[in-house]
Amino acid sequence: SVWNYELGVKSQFLDRRATLNVAGYRIDWKDVQQAVADPVCGSLFFANFGEARSEGVEVELSVKPVESLLLNASASYTDAQYTKVDSAFVGAVEVQPGDPLADVPEWKYAVSGEYTFAFGDSRSGYVRADWHYVDATPIGVTTRDERPSYDILNASIGLQSGPWDL
């Protein structure tokens, strides 16, 4: 079972040319499932072995300083960890209370910008760039391995005419 609590605010200002969204959350997860090796025969079975909690905050900002330019930035922080291992599974699972949840990075950031312009009478063009950062991420429930942090940079230029986008 999962209980998710979230509190946030969504706001617009500067004549609706700017948007700021902020949210804080907490997720309590009971009966976390994992494949467990039977200590006697070694066969795998799935069991609800414990509990976990995720807490964090997310912030998003969009600004349109002029009609043709849109800028976006976002950041999120997550503290996700196991909080309890049922006594029947101590030693059978490698995680302990306080260990991080798999596949949940602590930090993520993103920044993007798009500039649009008229191109002839019925066409428009755009130039766009996006950058994303994802923090090092624990992988696998029973290992201490991490996927290293990484960045992604995307850029595009385009031409729009009616329903067409090149």
Side-chain angles (χ1 to χ4, degrees), residues 5-74:
Y5 310 93
E6 185 171 338
L7 181 62
V9 65
K10 295 183 178 201
S11 61
Q12 290 184 323
F13 49 98
L14 297 176
D15 294 325
R16 294 188 173 189
R17 290 182 297 128
T19 301
L20 177 65
N21 300 327
V22 180
Y25 62 90
R26 176 177 166 162
I27 301 170
D28 291 321
W29 183 11
K30 293 187 179 182
D31 297 326
V32 176
Q33 286 188 338
Q34 177 185 332
V36 178
D38 185 298
V40 176
C41 67
S43 64
L44 287 177
F45 64 96
F46 283 89
N48 301 75
F49 74 91
E51 298 177 7
R53 174 176 294 143
S54 296
E55 296 175 317
V57 64
E58 300 172 337
V59 178
E60 300 172 332
L61 175 65
S62 294
V63 179
K64 196 165 194 172
V66 294
E67 187 59 33
S68 58
L69 180 62
L70 178 61
L71 304 171
N72 297 297
S74 64

